[in-house]
Amino acid sequence: MIRNIFAAALVAAPLFANPAVAAADLGKEESCKYQGQVMAAVQAARLDRVPEGKVEETIRASNPEWPENFSNAIPQLTQHVYQMKRRDLKNVDLGDVFETQCVQNWDQIQEMKKNLSGN
């Protein structure tokens, strides 16, 4: 499951970018903290039995404390988390795992984003 979280981080990484508040501009620790919070919110929605199609709306309606552009990754993270069995999600903190993997793989993720943007 841990590898799958890293895969989700790579898929979602470009979605955290926004010219107004780019994830990379915040610094590694702060950006990864927000990314982990988004993942944790999606996990909580799954555990609370929020229908998959209502996750983004539900999370955005809760007025999360992360910068708005971080919410852009909710649909992709939702697809990933909702593929997992709820029982498997009860004993893991995906937000913490996601944040840790983000920090550990920061340079690789930034390089991937750079390659995707063509810069």
Side-chain angles (χ1 to χ4, degrees), residues 26-85:
L26 293 174
K28 175 172 37 178
E29 285 77 18
E30 190 172 15
S31 177
C32 290
K33 176 185 79 168
Y34 290 138
Q35 292 178 47
Q37 289 174 356
V38 175
M39 178 59 94
V42 173
Q43 179 182 10
R46 175 76 169 113
L47 291 173
D48 290 344
R49 300 181 188 268
V50 173
E52 187 172 353
K54 298 271 187 186
V55 172
E56 183 173 11
E57 173 187 337
T58 301
I59 292 173
R60 286 181 185 267
S62 73
N63 296 315
E65 295 185 15
W66 58 73
E68 177 64 27
N69 61 296
F70 283 84
S71 294
N72 294 341
I74 293 171
Q76 284 69 25
L77 296 178
T78 298
Q79 286 179 336
H80 179 75
V81 171
Y82 274 65
Q83 290 175 4
M84 298 178 194
K85 296 187 182 301

Side-chain angles (χ1 to χ4, degrees), residues 10-11 13-15 109-119:
L10 289 175
V11 169
L15 301 170
I109 292 167
Q110 297 311 307
E111 186 63 29
M112 183 199 76
K113 286 170 40 176
K114 184 173 138 185
N115 290 339
L116 287 174
S117 69
N119 294 331

